Amino acid sequence: MDTLSEVLDNIRSSGALIDQNLLEAPWSIRFEAGSSTVATPLQGQTWLIEDGVEPVGLAARDLLILTGPDPVLITSDPLDRAAAPSCIVRADGRCLEPAGRLDGIKGLDRRRAAPAREHVLLTGTFPTSGRISERLLGALPPAVVLPRRHQRSRALDMLEAELGSREPGQQAVLDRLLDLVLIGALRDWFALPEASAPAWYGAAGDPVVGPALAALHTDPARPWTVESLARAARVSRATLARRFADVMGEPPISYLAGWRLCLAADLLQDTEDTIETVARRVGYSSPYALSAAFTREYGIRPSQYRAQSRRAAA
């Protein structure tokens, strides 16, 4: 499995709130931090507003991916920043009116054609969690805009069509299609010359670093050394060490340590494995060795992290 596939495999949507929303200007929607949102205007001029940044216009079917730590605004009027939002989309994907009531956005009635004066906004919001997903989302700009002309995937068309059906299993289909929209949009955006793709994305195609990364991700528990990684990449130890640091910004063993701890954190959160089992699955000789490294990295013991994650999920 390549690095992008492995990272994206950890931010799958499940039970995502996806809909076409019929809006009449003036309107604005504030998206809170803590979730991933994919949005695209299907009809009407729309604007993205971030603090300290000039408004960005979104044409029909331009894709917007929101992953940042700060709230953002999508609006019909880029000059009306101070107005109260029509709706607030929380981190869990629920939509609230400013007063706190649910259903601040009215869903599109698909039995009739939307009048030309109205705006139609397709949104898919789902919560994200886990240290592995943070490695991807933390390396992205808070808002990624992919113009329609650069979109190669047809997943958005399929998602829109599925929203108009009432077939059994629709939520599962919508979840998978939203995954495809997100993955396709990120791949297309990474391919743009002006995009600032994370280091590991470009590294996957590097003839030296790529094979070493693939080896680490395939078997993270193996007792890797720079020498054994160099053999996997079929280069000298010095060549691997130098090239890996240049491309990834850190030595290979340092990267491996960080990746192991990300895996451990997600296993603690998502499985019932004992800490000893987690330690051995990610390459630590004992739960004590994992606990010491985990506490240095995250400032909390593995058992506390698991309990904290469970409370947050509940």
Side-chain angles (χ1 to χ4, degrees), residues 15-272:
L17 298 183
I18 310 169
D19 207 353
Q20 296 178 89
N21 305 293
L22 181 62
L23 302 160
E24 190 163 348
W27 59 268
S28 63
I29 305 171
R30 191 176 79 203
F31 290 84
E32 298 287 5
S35 67
S36 292
T37 296
V38 177
T40 182
L42 300 178
Q43 186 171 298
Q45 180 67 44
T46 303
W47 296 84
L48 166 69
I49 296 180
E50 301 176 79
D51 286 343
V53 180
E54 287 296 313
V56 176
L58 301 174
R61 305 186 77 78
D62 287 351
L63 268 171
L64 172 66
I65 303 173
L66 302 175
T67 61
D70 300 314
V72 301
L73 200 68
I74 299 179
T75 180
S76 61
D77 184 357
L79 301 179
D80 196 13
R81 296 183 180 224
S86 312
C87 169
I88 301 170
V89 178
R90 294 178 19 156
D92 59 9
R94 290 189 297 168
C95 182
L96 306 179
E97 294 180 349
R101 296 187 298 273
L102 287 172
D103 298 326
I105 306 180
K106 302 303 179 184
L108 172 63
D109 183 348
R110 302 179 191 88
R111 294 170 297 181
R112 60 182 178 83
R117 70 179 183 277
E118 293 175 325
H119 294 226
V120 181
L121 183 70
L122 188 153
T123 60
T125 301
F126 51 94
T128 58
S129 63
R131 297 288 177 171
I132 293 178
S133 64
E134 287 180 5
R135 290 180 77 93
L136 170 68
L137 302 182
L140 295 175
V144 170
V145 177
L146 180 68
R148 182 180 183 181
R149 65 183 181 276
H150 294 303
Q151 296 170 27
R152 296 172 292 179
S153 170
R154 301 274 71 86
L156 179 59
D157 298 331
M158 297 168 64
L159 179 63
E160 185 181 0
E162 181 63 28
L163 280 168
S165 74
R166 287 294 183 269
E167 297 288 334
Q170 185 186 50
Q171 183 62 58
V173 174
L174 289 174
D175 285 342
R176 301 303 175 267
L177 288 174
L178 184 60
D179 289 337
L180 290 175
V181 171
L182 176 62
I183 293 170
L186 288 175
R187 288 200 306 187
D188 291 345
W189 183 76
F190 287 154
L192 297 179
E194 64 271 22
S196 53
W200 53 258
Y201 181 78
D206 187 273
V208 174
V209 180
L213 273 179
L216 291 178
H217 285 258
T218 299
D219 189 5
R222 183 173 171 178
W224 291 106
T225 63
V226 176
E227 183 175 353
S228 61
L229 285 171
R231 286 198 300 269
R234 298 185 178 181
V235 295
S236 70
R237 184 179 183 278
T239 298
L240 175 68
R242 180 175 60 254
R243 182 64 182 166
F244 200 102
D246 288 344
V247 173
M248 299 297 293
E250 61 180 325
I253 301 307
S254 173
Y255 176 88
L256 173 61
W259 183 253
R260 283 173 168 170
L261 291 174
C262 282
L263 289 173
D266 285 3
L267 288 170
L268 290 167
Q269 176 178 294
D270 300 330
T271 74
E272 298 299 330

